[in-house]
Amino acid sequence: MSTGRSATRMGPAELVQAAAMARRFYLEGKSKIQIAEEFGVSRFKVARVLETALERDLVRIEIRVPAELDAERSDALRARYGLRHAVVVESPADAEADTPDPENLGEVAADLLGELVTEGDVLGLAWGRSTIHMAAALHRLPPCTVVQLTGVYDAGTAERGSVEAVRRAAAVSGGEAHPIYAPMLLPDTATADALRGQTGIARAFEYFDKVTVACVSIGSWEAGISTVYDMLTEKERAHYENLGAAAEMSAHLFDAEGRRIGRDLGERCITVEADRLRRIPEVVAIAGGRRKAEAIGAVLRSGLVTSLVTDTAAADYLLAETTPAAHPALDRADPDGV
């Protein structure tokens, strides 16, 4: 059934979606209208995707995607959590069982951003080791503005962290960079308010409402896995643990059900507000590993994330969960407009 290969490279979300649609059409016998209803797109887009699947040699007798992508888990995770895109990467064979965020997630996320970002978009990057790995792996990005969404973990390491990630992404895209030269967590609200009023930081904040694609990391509430946890005192950690803290994303805390807790902490942080994150059309989380799986589930239930790049270790846990999840992608306009 192959008609030859196209020279244009497909991104990971395109590959996963094309594989899922082709499976429905060629193996399950579903119509294009039925597939369009399931994926929330037009039947014309389904037709284009199926045609592309043939052109790119995805469809022969079986559905094929690169070996490192698990198409079946990706499709199952997308459907279960109501995500716009879910890309599941094979966990490295030599990785420890409890290793969070395998580095190959950053490479796949870089390809995904190259696919999702279009010319003229505003790309927001939050602090996180996985987003820093993603930025380092970027090799293509349409012209866009890049803005930092959070302060840095340690202002003294800004050149090797989120500031450099923003600069790297802007250099690849050829667009403007708007970094934030400030710590993520401040000792009190007054200091945080004063910093937000500084010219450079205020200019970055002005772009928050214009962000069209955001890239965030997720941390579980434990030492070495959550930036915020590591920055707090023992007394403060105990306080938020008593409130049920299970996950952290961009300095926002969530309990196991995805409810936001500890809102007072946000007042001391230089970060994009949760309400603004919810208005961003595409919020891509990069997080993996069994050690982070429960935290990933909590953040998915918050409804703030529309897409996820993860690994098979986390995906297996998430697919076995019984707690219903929010369906964030269904509540936001499709950035493709179809």
Side-chain angles (χ1 to χ4, degrees):
M1 296 174 65
S2 171
T3 60
R5 298 179 184 271
S6 170
T8 305
R9 182 181 181 186
M10 294 179 75
E14 287 179 316
L15 286 164
V16 168
Q17 185 182 69
M21 288 184 177
R23 184 179 299 107
R24 304 291 194 277
F25 188 73
Y26 292 108
L27 300 182
E28 298 176 12
K30 291 189 176 181
S31 69
K32 294 175 183 177
I33 293 177
Q34 289 175 315
I35 297 170
E37 290 176 351
E38 178 183 349
F39 286 84
V41 299
S42 71
R43 68 179 185 278
F44 303 106
K45 181 170 182 177
V46 173
R48 290 199 302 272
V49 171
L50 292 174
E51 182 179 357
T52 300
L54 287 170
E55 292 174 348
R56 308 295 173 85
D57 211 15
L58 279 178
V59 176
R60 291 180 176 173
I61 300 217
E62 69 269 354
I63 310 303
R64 307 192 328 165
V65 293
E68 71 271 15
L69 298 181
D70 191 310
E72 290 189 12
R73 282 186 176 93
S74 298
D75 185 38
L77 200 59
R78 177 201 60 78
R80 181 169 179 78
Y81 285 86
L83 298 168
R84 183 169 290 128
H85 303 291
V87 181
V88 178
V89 182
E90 289 287 345
S91 300
D94 57 351
E96 297 291 333
D98 61 351
T99 299
D101 297 341
E103 289 194 18
N104 60 342
L105 294 186
E107 298 171 4
V108 172
D111 281 345
L112 178 62
L113 279 193
E115 176 184 347
L116 297 180
V117 175
T118 60
E119 184 172 352
D121 274 347
V122 177
L123 172 62
L125 300 182
W127 194 96
R129 295 178 184 88
S130 56
T131 53
I132 291 170
H133 290 154
M134 179 276 301
L138 281 171
H139 58 85
R140 64 184 179 100
L141 207 58
C144 64
T145 299
V146 186
V147 60
Q148 195 169 323
L149 296 179
T150 62
V152 298
Y153 174 42
D154 179 353
T157 62
E159 294 303 314
R160 301 187 300 275
S162 45
V163 169
E164 181 55 32
V166 168
R167 287 176 170 170
R168 164 70 180 168
V172 172
S173 75
E176 295 182 1
H178 294 276
I180 293 178
Y181 295 97
M184 182 188 295
L185 179 66
L186 282 304
D188 51 62
T189 301
T191 304
D193 286 340
L195 277 177
R196 292 189 194 101
Q198 290 188 358
T199 302
I201 298 174
R203 185 177 299 115
F205 268 62
E206 289 174 359
Y207 276 91
F208 285 1
D209 284 330
K210 303 175 185 177
V211 173
T212 50
V213 180
C215 189
V216 301
S217 296
I218 295 172
S220 53
W221 193 244
E222 58 180 303
I225 311 296
S226 166
T227 301
V228 172
Y229 184 100
D230 291 341
M231 289 191 289
L232 296 175
T233 65
E234 288 292 341
K235 182 178 179 180
E236 290 170 328
R237 292 171 187 165
H239 168 66
Y240 293 117
E241 284 172 8
N242 288 335
L243 293 179
E248 174 257 317
M249 180 183 70
S250 302
H252 301 295
L253 305 184
F254 306 87
D255 67 11
E257 303 303 317
R259 295 181 292 252
R260 283 191 61 212
I261 62 171
R263 293 171 188 258
D264 59 312
L265 180 66
E267 297 174 359
R268 296 168 49 196
C269 292
I270 303 297
T271 186
V272 60
E273 300 95 326
D275 289 343
R276 277 175 159 169
L277 268 178
R278 197 179 299 277
R279 293 195 295 269
I280 296 173
E282 187 75 78
V283 178
V284 181
I286 312 169
R290 176 60 186 86
R291 196 172 173 186
K292 276 193 176 184
E294 294 175 50
I296 296 169
V299 173
L300 291 182
R301 282 187 283 277
S302 76
L304 293 177
V305 170
T306 61
S307 296
L308 174 68
V309 178
T310 191
D311 68 343
T312 51
D316 285 343
Y317 173 87
L318 293 169
L319 290 171
E321 280 199 312
T322 58
T323 306
H327 288 68
L330 301 181
D331 300 327
R332 310 187 197 189
D334 186 338
D336 290 334
V338 293

